[in-house]
Amino acid sequence: QVQLVESGGGLVQPGGSLRLSCSASGSVFAIYTMAWYRQAPGRQRELVARITTRGGTINYADSVKGRFAISRDAAKNTVYLQMNSLKPEDTAVYYCNAYGDRMLSSWGQGTQVTVSS
């Protein structure tokens, strides 16, 4: 019932920054939490950050604390992931998803982030 579109990925040098966007449409009234995940080659998908649409609770993976920031624009039904001080190990496909009492969207194609010189 919820459709999500990720954008903003690209190629960046170590130490650089990118801002990812995830726009939601459909049954957005059902969304309680939105989250960013990433999957690197040969690795399982991991949770990067999440934010609640009610209550303002934010959580980050230890690997990105102090470097990444998740935020939301309720009027635009969009969440962002500001990524600073990027490292080669941040290279992955980044995905977002939305949750109420369950996952509200299937996994999309994500957006590729490559950190390399």
Side-chain angles (χ1 to χ4, degrees):
Q1 292 182 305
V2 173
Q3 295 79 48
L4 302 172
V5 179
E6 303 102 335
S7 62
L11 175 64
V12 65
Q13 294 183 344
S17 298
L18 285 172
R19 191 186 192 196
L20 307 184
S21 298
C22 175
S23 297
S25 60
S27 301
V28 296
F29 63 89
I31 299 174
Y32 185 83
T33 303
M34 298 191 72
W36 284 99
Y37 298 79
R38 67 186 181 187
Q39 187 167 24
R43 298 287 189 269
Q44 296 192 28
R45 197 192 320 269
E46 65 173 335
L47 179 66
V48 176
R50 60 186 175 191
I51 184 170
T52 57
T53 59
R54 298 171 60 189
T57 300
I58 296 175
N59 300 103
Y60 297 100
D62 288 342
S63 59
V64 307
K65 286 181 179 177
R67 300 189 298 120
F68 290 10
I70 188 170
S71 62
R72 62 185 287 265
D73 185 333
K76 296 181 179 180
N77 295 315
T78 300
V79 295
Y80 304 94
L81 187 67
Q82 178 66 48
M83 306 185 296
N84 300 321
S85 301
L86 283 162
K87 305 174 181 179
E89 49 263 46
D90 295 317
T91 296
V93 178
Y94 284 71
Y95 304 87
C96 66
N97 219 310
Y99 303 85
D101 59 342
R102 67 189 73 183
M103 184 181 294
L104 298 176
S105 178
S106 59
W107 296 106
Q109 293 186 323
T111 185
Q112 176 71 50
V113 173
T114 302
V115 184
S116 176
S117 298

